[in-house]
Amino acid sequence: MSKIAVVYWSGTGNTEAMANEVAEGAKAAGAEVDVLTASEFGADKMDAYDAVAFGCPAMGAEELEDSEFEPMFSDCEGKLGGKKIALFGSYGWGDGEWMRTWKETCKADGAVLACDSVLANEAPDDDAVAACQALGKALC
């Protein structure tokens, strides 16, 4: 049985809703899943999981949330080499540049991306919900 961490930051609840759908997908595939906020996770917990889904909305000029999520993620970057991960998040403007930049950072760190990233414009619609569940399954 795979052990999966779903780690997220959410300001409006949209990315939190996505995190819960990712967790449901992973559970449906038979994984043991922990859903954690960015403040509850760090590099010291990376080795306890077979795979990690990271979720963060676009903030400011299409960047990761910088008070909790980005510092936690930067701390984890040294542990991404060879680790199976997936990325998700919501946005309300722009064209997804923050996700493309984030994905490239993860690739440069040696992470193994389990599937395409999932983006939702504002609250996740039915397609985004299905994509989040598929993302969770892909981590198993």
Side-chain angles (χ1 to χ4, degrees):
M1 175 187 290
S2 296
K3 188 167 182 184
I4 310 292
V6 179
V7 182
Y8 73 95
W9 186 92
S10 187
T12 63
N14 294 337
T15 302
E16 180 178 13
M18 295 175 78
N20 290 328
E21 295 298 337
V22 170
E24 288 304 312
K27 288 176 187 174
E32 177 184 337
V33 182
D34 292 329
V35 179
L36 305 159
T37 64
S39 64
E40 298 172 317
F41 195 78
D44 59 324
K45 296 187 177 181
M46 288 286 290
D47 292 340
Y49 296 94
D50 299 307
V52 181
F54 289 103
C56 186
M59 303 292 288
E62 289 210 61
E63 55 200 20
L64 296 175
E65 189 279 329
D66 65 358
S67 64
E68 288 182 41
F69 191 88
E70 196 283 327
M72 175 279 303
F73 185 76
S74 290
D75 184 46
C76 292
E77 279 191 79
K79 295 273 192 169
L80 291 181
K83 181 65 83 174
K84 187 187 240 188
I85 69 163
L87 307 175
F88 64 94
S90 63
Y91 66 101
W93 61 90
D95 68 354
E97 179 184 352
W98 104 102
M99 186 62 73
R100 291 189 301 274
T101 301
W102 191 15
K103 188 164 82 172
E104 290 307 313
T105 297
C106 293
K107 286 181 181 178
D109 290 335
V112 177
L113 293 168
C115 60
D116 285 337
S117 304
V118 176
L119 290 84
N121 189 340
E122 303 293 347
D125 62 12
D126 291 345
D127 289 342
V129 166
C132 285
Q133 291 176 358
L135 183 149
K137 290 175 184 172
L139 287 169
C140 297

